[in-house]
Amino acid sequence: MPVSDELFYLLFLFGFYATTVVTYFALGYGLTWVNDRNPERKIQKGRGSDKRRHAEIRQSLASMFSACLPLTIGLYAQQKGWAPAPWALNWWAAVPLFVLCMFLYDTWFYFMHRLLHTKWLYPLHALHHKSVAPTIWSTYSEDVLDNFLLQGFSAVIVFIVPFPPAILIGQRLFEHFNGMFGHCGFEYFASSSARYPSPLLCTTFHDQHHSGFSIQLRQLFLVLGSRAGYDFAKLRPAREEVRGGGTAAQIQSGHWLRPTSGRRRQERYEHRIRQHDG
């Protein structure tokens, strides 16, 4: 008996959620094992602990579901014909489409993240920033609506750019793992590929966003924000050539940061927010 579209995508939603949860714990425990054996890679030395781990995991189990929902909505809209028919996926087009999808997602994430840092929506985002020294368990520790807005890209982009389903699924999986590495609190990727003028980012940038609130609202690229005058940190070449990506101390020393007036304005705003919350 044929399965209805509704049942199929309901099963897809719960199956994708289960995959997200399993890989969250698998990578979480695996990377924690690696981190424990590389303490010199810790970005915020002497700060942070596992005291919030259980609370973060409980919140993450709910938030991961809201992260899977927009993808399911987007694929369902394509299947029902409400969105333009997706492009055919060819081997020669897969990489360019994936890169385009990641860039558009990162643009969405930047502006949505920027909105969540306004005084109107920050109360929704404040839960995520309770993790001042984030760990890998902090990745999804956020309000379910907060995460739905950040991941809502998949439910919207299908009406604008008809990406093949495989590209949308691949983007969500990539963002899942990228987000976990970005919150792990240990730096393994700060190499020449993550220095100015390269657009790529490393774990340190998002870690500094949690510790200082005022820098780096993007996930992958450092292009649009700086041109629009919104980014609060810019990469500049470190004088040292750090083998294997460099230590947290070298990265945190300030070689990689150049404050802007926008950064100072945001710091003053976040200081008022923290006073209000405190």
Side-chain angles (χ1 to χ4, degrees), residues 42-45 187 190 195 204 208 215 236-240 242 246-259 263:
K42 185 172 176 60
I43 297 171
Q44 297 187 55
K45 287 182 170 61
E187 185 55 78
R195 295 178 186 166
T204 299
Q208 288 172 331
I215 56 178
R236 64 181 182 184
R239 291 184 179 180
E240 303 86 1
V242 184
T247 65
Q250 287 168 316
I251 298 165
Q252 291 284 73
S253 65
H255 287 297
W256 292 34
L257 288 176
R258 183 167 62 223
R263 178 185 175 184

Side-chain angles (χ1 to χ4, degrees), residues 51-62:
K51 291 181 180 179
R52 299 196 67 252
R53 174 186 290 195
H54 295 299
E56 288 176 337
I57 290 175
R58 285 195 301 270
Q59 183 61 35
S60 295
L61 291 174

Side-chain angles (χ1 to χ4, degrees), residues 28-243:
Y29 284 113
L31 196 52
T32 298
W33 184 89
V34 174
N35 291 343
D36 290 343
R37 284 150 183 79
N38 293 276
E40 74 283 358
R41 296 279 182 174
K42 185 172 176 60
I43 297 171
Q44 297 187 55
K45 287 182 170 61
R47 192 178 191 185
S49 67
D50 284 338
K51 291 181 180 179
R52 299 196 67 252
R53 174 186 290 195
H54 295 299
E56 288 176 337
I57 290 175
R58 285 195 301 270
Q59 183 61 35
S60 295
L61 291 174
S63 184
M64 279 186 277
F65 186 83
S66 68
C68 299
L69 192 56
L71 173 63
T72 307
I73 293 173
L75 297 180
Y76 181 71
Q78 286 184 328
Q79 177 65 25
K80 301 301 287 186
W82 302 337
W87 291 323
L89 183 62
N90 302 302
W91 66 267
W92 52 267
V95 172
L97 285 177
F98 183 75
V99 171
L100 174 62
C101 187
M102 292 305 303
F103 182 79
L104 292 177
Y105 164 77
D106 201 44
T107 302
W108 168 281
F109 184 95
Y110 173 79
F111 284 108
M112 193 59 68
H113 197 182
R114 183 69 181 173
L115 286 173
L116 288 166
H117 274 266
T118 62
K119 62 182 179 181
W120 300 282
L121 293 181
Y122 185 76
L124 188 67
H125 193 52
L127 174 63
H128 189 56
H129 277 285
K130 285 186 177 182
S131 305
V132 179
T135 69
I136 198 165
W137 310 109
S138 311
T139 307
Y140 289 96
S141 181
E142 52 197 336
D143 186 271
V144 292
L145 181 55
D146 176 350
N147 203 20
F148 182 83
L149 292 174
L150 288 172
Q151 302 304 326
F153 168 81
S154 301
V156 174
I157 195 64
V158 294
F159 295 95
I160 304 169
V161 182
F163 285 114
I167 297 296
L168 295 172
I169 294 171
Q171 177 272 318
R172 176 82 276 277
L173 288 172
F174 182 91
E175 173 54 23
H176 169 62
F177 292 110
N178 175 69
M180 293 189 72
F181 277 106
H183 287 85
C184 75
F186 286 68
E187 185 55 78
Y188 295 99
F189 302 106
S191 66
S192 58
S193 66
R195 295 178 186 166
Y196 184 85
S198 169
L200 299 177
L201 299 178
C202 54
T203 302
T204 299
F205 281 94
H206 197 69
D207 194 279
Q208 288 172 331
H209 174 66
H210 276 259
S211 64
F213 287 13
S214 59
I215 56 178
Q216 198 37 254
L217 300 175
R218 299 185 73 95
Q219 283 285 78
L220 294 171
F221 304 107
L222 189 64
V223 178
L224 177 64
S226 58
R227 291 185 178 181
Y230 290 127
D231 273 329
F232 309 113
K234 295 181 181 179
L235 282 170
R236 64 181 182 184
R239 291 184 179 180
E240 303 86 1
E241 188 64 30
V242 184
R243 183 177 181 182

